[in-house]
Amino acid sequence: MRTEPEPLRRLLRALCCYGVFSETEDGTFAHTEMSRLLREDDPNSLRYISLWCTEPWTWEVWPRLDDAVRSGSSVFPEAFGKGFFDYLHQDAGESAQVFNRAMTTSSVQSARDVAELLDLTGVSSVADIGGGQGHVLASLLEKHSSARGILLDLPGVVARADGRLREGGALADRVRIVPGDCREGVPFEVDLYIIKNILEWDDESTRRTLRNVMAAARPGSRVVVIENLVDDTPSMRFTTAMDLLLLLNVGGAKHTRESLETRIADAGLKIAEVRPVNPYLHAFECVVPG
Ligand SMILES: C[S@@+](CC[C@H](N)C(=O)[O-])C[C@H]1O[C@@H](n2cnc3c(N)ncnc32)[C@H](O)[C@@H]1O
């Protein structure tokens, strides 16, 4: 892409001050560990998450941070006239694609860890609520050949589900794809419900989602909630920034261990165990009481 060399040099020099790129003695610029994370082909790539955090709508909401801090709620409806996910899917197709790619990258990166952690002994059916394009579900079904799975997410998201889950895919005959809104209902009973990285929105949505899972599940069903905790992570800079972005766009928050435990307990679930999935995620293993 064409750029003016001098302003580009100034931009790169500024980025060097933050560890993104380094300047060599001959005046050229080189990759650093951090700048490599912006590449798509890095196994820990943060390229799409970085793009996501700088999408055009973010520049409209950050100036309203003071309002959000005063009111404790999202500033999105006031800035765009509708809720965040409605805006994303109805008016901001390109941004929705960046979101999907960001979610895909982080799901793919964590799906193996989740599949590694979860013991599916005795589980014949598993559902991923707000499961995105189904990478976690696909990893679980690949590992457990007798389990069946359900993927629930918004229609625009499941329409682009992982090829393994869609018609003709290797796992398709063991999968049901359910387009829907988990705040409106969870229309199936399974042995294990996974709720990963979705209880970060407003509290009412969290309450409704957990209530719907409780209404669908039978006593003894397992519910595993997986989240990044803001008080137990080596990546505080990233998590606290995402925490504020969640406040701005959906009136949400990254949870502390205690805030998540409280919401899970309020829903009537019994927490059996809390375990780290990897350095960034914790799994709250819960049971629907009898
Ligand atoms: C942060 S992503 C997490 C995706 C996936 N669980 C994972 O961990 O990779 C949040 C997901 O919630 C979905 N979502 C948002 N609102 C929803 C709703 N009302 N009902 C179902 N899914 C929803 C989004 O489409 C998105 O896939």
Side-chain angles (χ1 to χ4, degrees):
M1 204 184 291
R2 282 181 57 78
T3 47
E4 284 298 325
E6 185 50 22
L8 177 61
R9 197 183 73 78
R10 289 161 59 191
L11 173 63
L12 292 172
R13 187 178 58 195
L15 288 169
C16 287
C17 298
Y18 295 90
V20 185
F21 304 116
S22 65
E23 191 167 2
T24 59
E25 275 182 9
D26 64 6
T28 59
F29 291 88
H31 264 305
T32 58
E33 210 178 308
M34 202 188 293
S35 68
R36 283 188 194 284
L37 297 175
L38 299 173
R39 289 180 58 111
E40 194 160 0
D41 59 0
D42 189 277
N44 300 310
S45 175
L46 293 177
R47 175 183 165 82
Y48 287 105
I49 284 282
S50 308
L51 289 173
W52 170 241
C53 294
T54 52
E55 278 295 292
W57 56 266
T58 62
W59 302 90
E60 303 288 331
V61 294
W62 279 113
R64 298 169 196 254
L65 181 62
D66 56 343
D67 285 346
V69 169
R70 282 197 195 92
S71 67
S73 23
S74 163
V75 294
F76 212 87
E78 156 195 332
F80 290 92
K82 54 176 75 169
F84 175 69
F85 281 109
D86 286 344
Y87 168 82
L88 193 64
H89 291 292
Q90 292 164 11
D91 306 284
E94 282 183 21
S95 202
Q97 274 183 26
V98 170
F99 181 57
N100 290 336
R101 288 207 168 117
M103 292 309 111
T104 302
T105 315
S106 72
S107 294
V108 168
Q109 287 165 355
S110 59
R112 215 173 335 133
D113 297 334
V114 173
E116 199 61 43
L117 178 90
L118 291 184
D119 180 3
L120 260 60
T121 311
V123 168
S124 58
S125 54
V126 51
D128 198 348
I129 312 298
Q133 290 159 319
H135 301 100
V136 168
L137 189 63
S139 298
L140 278 169
L141 296 184
E142 276 180 343
K143 192 160 173 232
H144 302 276
S145 55
S146 60
R148 305 182 67 78
I150 298 178
L151 175 68
L152 169 70
D153 205 298
L154 298 171
V157 177
V158 293
R160 284 182 303 278
D162 188 303
R164 290 170 289 178
L165 307 179
R166 283 205 306 250
E167 212 178 312
L171 302 168
D173 58 346
R174 289 194 279 136
V175 173
R176 207 173 112 207
I177 295 183
V178 178
D181 182 335
C182 60
R183 294 169 305 183
E184 300 303 322
V186 173
F188 39 76
E189 185 188 296
V190 289
D191 300 328
L192 168 62
Y193 297 83
I194 295 172
I195 308 177
K196 175 174 173 291
N197 285 128
I198 76 162
L199 301 183
E200 308 171 338
W201 48 16
D202 61 290
D203 266 349
E204 180 54 19
S205 297
T206 292
R207 257 192 298 276
R208 283 166 60 179
T209 299
L210 290 175
R211 196 172 56 214
N212 290 335
V213 169
M214 290 291 282
R218 61 176 170 274
S221 290
R222 284 167 62 191
V223 178
V224 177
V225 176
I226 301 175
E227 286 293 334
N228 313 86
L229 297 181
V230 81
D231 57 350
D232 193 358
T233 172
S235 59
M236 279 302 276
R237 275 205 296 187
F238 175 77
T239 318
T240 51
M242 291 302 280
D243 177 56
L244 289 177
L245 190 55
L246 283 164
L247 168 64
L248 291 167
N249 68 357
V250 292
K254 288 279 180 193
H255 285 286
T256 61
R257 183 177 173 132
E258 192 194 346
S259 71
L260 192 53
E261 282 178 348
T262 304
R263 277 148 190 85
I264 291 172
D266 285 350
L269 279 161
K270 198 169 166 310
I271 300 174
E273 198 181 12
V274 181
R275 282 186 295 164
V277 177
N278 58 29
Y280 309 102
L281 289 168
H282 279 75
F284 293 67
E285 174 80 51
C286 312
V287 186
V288 177

